[in-house]
Amino acid sequence: MEISGDKKGAQPDPTSWMTVLARLGYFVKGMVYITLGVLTAKAAVLATIHPPGTRGVLEMIGEDLFGQVTLAVTSMGLFGYALWQGYRAVINPERYPRTLQGFAKRVGLFLSGSAYASLAFFSTALVLFDGPDRQNLNAEDDWTRWLLSLPLGQLLVGLGGLVVVAVALNLCYVAYSGMFMKRLELEDGHETQRRIITTIGRVGIAARGLIIGIVGVFFVQAAWDFSPEKAGGLREALRAVENGPYGQWLLSFMAAGLVAFGAYELLRSRYRTIPVNK
């Protein structure tokens, strides 16, 4: 979610440890999404395989010894991205205003950091464990079922799904408006470069918004029907597209969008301003 804040924030420091972690995080995130997009494209062409989620990508990366090294670096990048999102939420170096919009932005950053921290722990566990212990990592805690068992749990899951849908709509707006370019530090006079990056960002962010919107609908359905098994993540969203009308064609477009989003994250690892408080 990109909501412009006060631009009088902390000054970028290219030597800061947080800057290094943030850039590594954007780079690793980009590589994960490019890999996911390629595997999704493969699933669109071959009916014998299905698109994985981000955890499926991490499992595939760590299949051999060289992959274990790559997975260890990936874990570092995911932890770096999680720390950067948490830093943005708590320290607020970008000076988001003390308004409802600013508060919502910082909460979103904190939740994003928590999600990537969970993914980082998962990838770290893939490096450390093998055999039966590694297989057990595939079974995620069914927190949706737990939430539905609580008083007002059905309402909480439904509201959570609506929040996810709202985030998805905001991403689509960000893609349309091009406001994501405000935090990229590009040299003046490179208009062709700016247009290319804008196009890549719009396609990638819009595709991610559509997928997140499907995830939000899953949670609303789970709350409405009181059926936790209807909740799902990125993998389930892609498979829902695959199984729908014109599934193979739509999945191909989604794959292209995921690759574009990954490329946009790689560009952010190079050009994004990383303000830090000294």
Side-chain angles (χ1 to χ4, degrees):
M1 186 189 301
E2 295 283 350
I3 299 174
S4 179
D6 186 353
K7 300 193 77 172
K8 295 180 180 179
Q11 296 301 311
D13 179 8
T15 64
S16 165
W17 63 271
M18 181 58 71
T19 300
V20 174
L21 285 176
R23 296 204 185 281
L24 177 62
Y26 283 121
F27 180 83
V28 165
K29 184 181 174 186
M31 293 305 298
V32 168
Y33 271 94
I34 287 175
T35 304
L36 177 60
V38 170
L39 293 175
T40 301
K42 188 175 180 180
V45 175
L46 303 175
T48 55
I49 62 175
H50 301 285
T54 48
R55 296 197 172 197
V57 170
L58 294 175
E59 289 176 318
M60 185 208 69
I61 291 174
E63 286 179 352
D64 53 37
L65 180 60
F66 181 76
Q68 290 288 289
V69 176
T70 305
L71 193 59
V73 175
T74 300
S75 299
M76 290 175 57
L78 292 172
F79 273 119
Y81 187 78
L83 285 172
W84 166 237
Q85 294 294 81
Y87 182 84
R88 293 175 68 198
V90 177
I91 305 301
N92 192 22
E94 293 160 324
R95 299 292 187 267
Y96 290 105
R98 295 181 180 179
T99 62
L100 181 60
Q101 186 184 40
F103 177 75
K105 172 62 180 177
R106 292 174 69 181
V107 169
L109 290 171
F110 183 81
L111 293 176
S112 172
S114 300
Y116 279 95
S118 174
L119 200 59
F121 279 114
F122 177 79
S123 61
T124 302
L126 287 176
V127 175
L128 297 177
F129 298 115
D130 201 359
D133 292 330
R134 183 169 178 165
Q135 291 299 318
N136 290 335
L137 295 170
N138 295 329
E140 297 180 343
D141 292 335
D142 195 350
W143 63 271
T144 306
R145 188 182 304 277
W146 174 74
L147 276 177
L148 288 175
S149 69
L150 298 176
L152 300 179
Q154 195 170 4
L155 178 62
L156 290 173
V157 173
L159 288 176
L162 291 176
V163 168
V164 173
V165 171
V167 169
L169 291 173
N170 180 71
L171 284 172
C172 291
Y173 170 73
V174 167
Y176 172 77
S177 66
M179 62 190 299
F180 56 89
M181 295 293 293
K182 292 180 179 179
R183 295 199 183 279
L184 298 184
E185 195 170 22
L186 303 177
E187 295 181 10
D188 295 334
H190 290 68
E191 292 305 317
T192 301
Q193 180 192 48
R194 182 175 295 274
R195 284 196 297 270
I196 292 173
I197 294 176
T198 300
T199 301
I200 292 172
R202 278 178 169 156
V203 173
I205 294 171
R208 187 165 181 252
L210 290 173
I211 294 171
I212 289 177
I214 296 172
V215 172
V217 171
F218 284 161
F219 282 105
V220 172
Q221 278 187 321
W224 184 267
D225 298 332
F226 208 81
S227 302
E229 64 274 5
K230 290 189 177 180
L234 182 59
R235 179 183 63 181
E236 288 73 23
L238 290 172
R239 292 188 181 183
V241 171
E242 180 184 31
N243 296 327
Y246 307 102
Q248 301 304 106
W249 287 101
L250 291 176
L251 196 62
S252 298
F253 285 118
M254 287 293 186
L258 288 169
V259 171
F261 182 75
Y264 167 66
E265 291 297 302
L266 293 184
L267 291 166
R268 287 216 288 179
S269 74
R270 168 64 178 85
Y271 295 110
R272 197 194 192 282
T273 56
I274 310 290
V276 293
N277 287 328
K278 299 182 180 179

